[in-house]
Amino acid sequence: MTREEIKQALLENICTVRFTKVNGTIRDMRCTLNKIHLPDNLDVNEDSSRKVNESVLPVYDLDKKGWRSFRVDSVIDIQTVIV
């Protein structure tokens, strides 16, 4: 999947993203970019004054309750979570 396809899935759903961390371990992260599932004070709009790193995608980790990111090329699988 491309960065835009992954981002679109996360804007519409909660997803479990399986990826390989930089240290080589595999991680499953339940995350989203859907405003309905974010705390009220958070916004998913990327700051247009910042340069976007196309190889990394910041997401909201629902289990850790904070922003995390993963390298797009490290994604093994992405599954939509039924809520």
Side-chain angles (χ1 to χ4, degrees):
M1 291 181 85
T2 67
R3 181 182 195 276
E4 286 307 312
E5 291 170 330
I6 295 169
K7 183 176 178 180
Q8 190 60 42
L10 290 162
L11 282 167
E12 297 171 2
N13 306 293
I14 294 174
C15 297
T16 298
V17 178
R18 175 172 281 182
F19 62 97
T20 305
K21 292 173 48 173
V22 174
N23 68 6
T25 60
I26 294 177
R27 175 164 184 230
D28 290 333
M29 179 169 38
R30 194 172 63 96
C31 54
T32 192
L33 292 174
N34 187 315
K35 290 182 181 186
I36 294 170
H37 303 290
L38 297 178
D40 291 335
N41 62 339
L42 295 178
D43 189 6
V44 298
N45 295 328
E46 293 183 30
D47 183 354
S48 59
S49 65
R50 291 183 63 193
K51 184 174 185 288
V52 175
N53 182 346
E54 292 294 327
S55 63
V56 175
L57 186 61
V59 296
Y60 189 77
D61 184 325
L62 293 162
D63 297 322
K64 301 215 181 217
K65 297 183 179 19
W67 289 99
R68 302 291 187 269
S69 61
F70 55 84
R71 297 188 60 79
V72 174
D73 62 359
S74 73
V75 173
I76 299 166
D77 187 42
I78 182 168
Q79 297 291 322
T80 300
V81 176
I82 309 277
V83 242

